[in-house]
Amino acid sequence: MVSLYETNVLNQLEEWRSMLLYSHLPSALYTIDSDKRRVVFVGIGSSYWAAKISEFLWREYINSNCISLQSYNFVKSPHYISPNDIFVVFSHRGTKTYSIQALEVAKKVGARTIFITGIGSRDNTAADIRIETCPQENCGAFTISLTSAIARILQWIGLFDNEILKDSE
Amino acid sequence: MMIDNIRLPIKIQRIPTYVTNFVIIGDLIRETISHEVALKISETCYLPVRSFGLEQFLHGPKVTIDKQTSILVFTSLIQPRRESLLTYAKL
């Protein structure tokens, strides 16, 4: 018997492909000069690992002016944030209290806020830009949401070639 | 980027025999992978798993491994500290 967890892992390829080919990133994303500003990636749990991986990728391919933070730490301990920052929050369900609070803090400071979340997640944030990944997870151990969020970051960075994806169908 | 499949490129010959001492280690971006894999194993198998950055592990927690320990390492052939870890683990 194949568990939901295994099914989700095996479905990742199809999910990434349809997301990258048929669901474009919001055009507003391309109006930010993201290569010239500091980018702060924030999350908790698996979303924190998404933030961490994004930080590595950003540093490798865009610029080294970026950090990743765990949302609880960000909210509970003073961190420097400027209106010139791009503040990226990962939350698949959109229900994580500290991640949402972190986003609100950044918004108040005047940073450009981006919310990377699952399709159908709660629309309870005032993020400037919302980027959707995959449908809501049906298993307690999240997998596809994490990798889909990373795929979105790769897409933003410009590391996906849609023609190749089409060819591999 | 061509994605052909997500199956392991190798066949795992032996199932790890760990009971409670399973350590997952990664370097650089792979440290994050090690933490996430440890989280998934904990969540799905209800097993205690520890995860570390490679250099962090070599700076102290390495003393907690013994012959019963299973170690899974995410690293690269070009990372010099990989050899230090493997040498220590084999002793």
Side-chain angles (χ1 to χ4, degrees):
Chain A
M1 191 184 124
V2 181
S3 67
L4 268 178
Y5 177 78
E6 291 165 297
T7 305
N8 291 346
V9 169
L10 293 170
N11 279 346
Q12 287 178 112
L13 277 180
E14 259 329 295
E15 197 59 57
W16 301 337
R17 185 176 285 132
S18 65
M19 180 183 81
L20 294 166
L21 282 176
Y22 307 114
S23 163
H24 300 297
L25 288 171
S27 54
L29 200 60
Y30 299 106
T31 64
I32 314 170
D33 46 353
S34 51
D35 54 335
K36 296 185 185 71
R37 299 162 71 167
R38 184 176 79 138
V39 182
V40 183
F41 297 101
V42 174
I44 200 160
S46 287
S47 291
Y48 176 53
W49 305 132
K52 266 272 191 247
I53 290 169
S54 301
E55 180 202 348
F56 267 92
L57 292 168
W58 202 264
R59 194 182 302 127
E60 193 79 24
Y61 294 101
I62 305 293
N63 74 44
S64 57
N65 194 10
C66 60
I67 55 167
S68 57
L69 299 167
Q70 197 226 73
S71 57
Y72 177 83
N73 292 347
F74 177 79
V75 170
K76 292 293 183 185
S77 163
H79 284 79
Y80 172 75
I81 181 138
S82 102
N84 201 40
D85 288 341
I86 297 170
F87 199 85
V88 183
V89 174
F90 296 88
S91 176
H92 178 60
R93 292 206 197 286
T95 54
K96 288 288 178 281
T97 310
Y98 293 107
S99 297
I100 302 303
Q101 281 182 19
L103 201 137
E104 285 161 1
V105 169
K107 181 83 181 166
K108 215 171 274 180
V109 169
R112 199 69 189 267
T113 50
I114 297 170
F115 190 47
I116 301 185
T117 188
I119 296 168
S121 76
R122 208 183 284 180
D123 189 16
N124 56 0
T125 69
D128 297 314
I129 300 171
R130 177 185 167 99
I131 299 175
E132 294 191 335
T133 55
C134 60
Q136 291 297 301
E137 292 262 17
N138 54 7
C139 170
F142 286 12
T143 50
I144 199 163
S145 55
L146 166 68
T147 55
S148 298
I150 294 166
R152 279 301 202 194
I153 293 293
L154 290 169
Q155 188 182 26
W156 184 10
I157 292 173
L159 290 174
F160 270 112
D161 183 334
N162 279 7
E163 291 309 311
I164 293 175
L165 280 172
K166 275 178 194 159
D167 290 345
S168 66
E169 275 183 315
Chain B
M1 182 181 292
M2 176 69 82
I3 308 165
D4 289 321
N5 63 62
I6 51 174
R7 289 194 178 82
L8 284 173
I10 50 159
K11 194 169 183 181
I12 294 176
Q13 301 292 340
R14 194 161 56 88
I15 302 294
T17 53
Y18 64 86
V19 180
T20 58
N21 207 355
F22 185 23
V23 180
I24 305 180
I25 298 164
D27 55 17
L28 300 171
I29 196 171
R30 295 170 288 263
E31 175 182 346
T32 310
I33 306 296
S34 72
H35 293 316
E36 173 63 8
V37 170
L39 175 63
K40 289 306 126 182
I41 291 174
S42 306
E43 286 177 329
T44 57
C45 307
Y46 303 153
L47 285 171
V49 186
R50 295 181 296 150
S51 56
F52 300 95
L54 194 153
E55 200 59 35
Q56 195 71 14
F57 183 75
L58 289 174
H59 270 79
K62 68 177 183 180
V63 300
T64 64
I65 64 171
D66 56 24
K67 289 191 185 323
Q68 303 304 312
T69 306
S70 289
I71 302 179
L72 172 64
V73 187
F74 294 96
T75 183
S76 158
L77 289 172
I78 60 169
Q79 290 301 324
R81 296 296 279 161
R82 165 185 176 275
E83 279 310 314
S84 307
L85 173 66
L86 294 179
T87 304
Y88 183 83
K90 281 175 188 163
L91 287 177

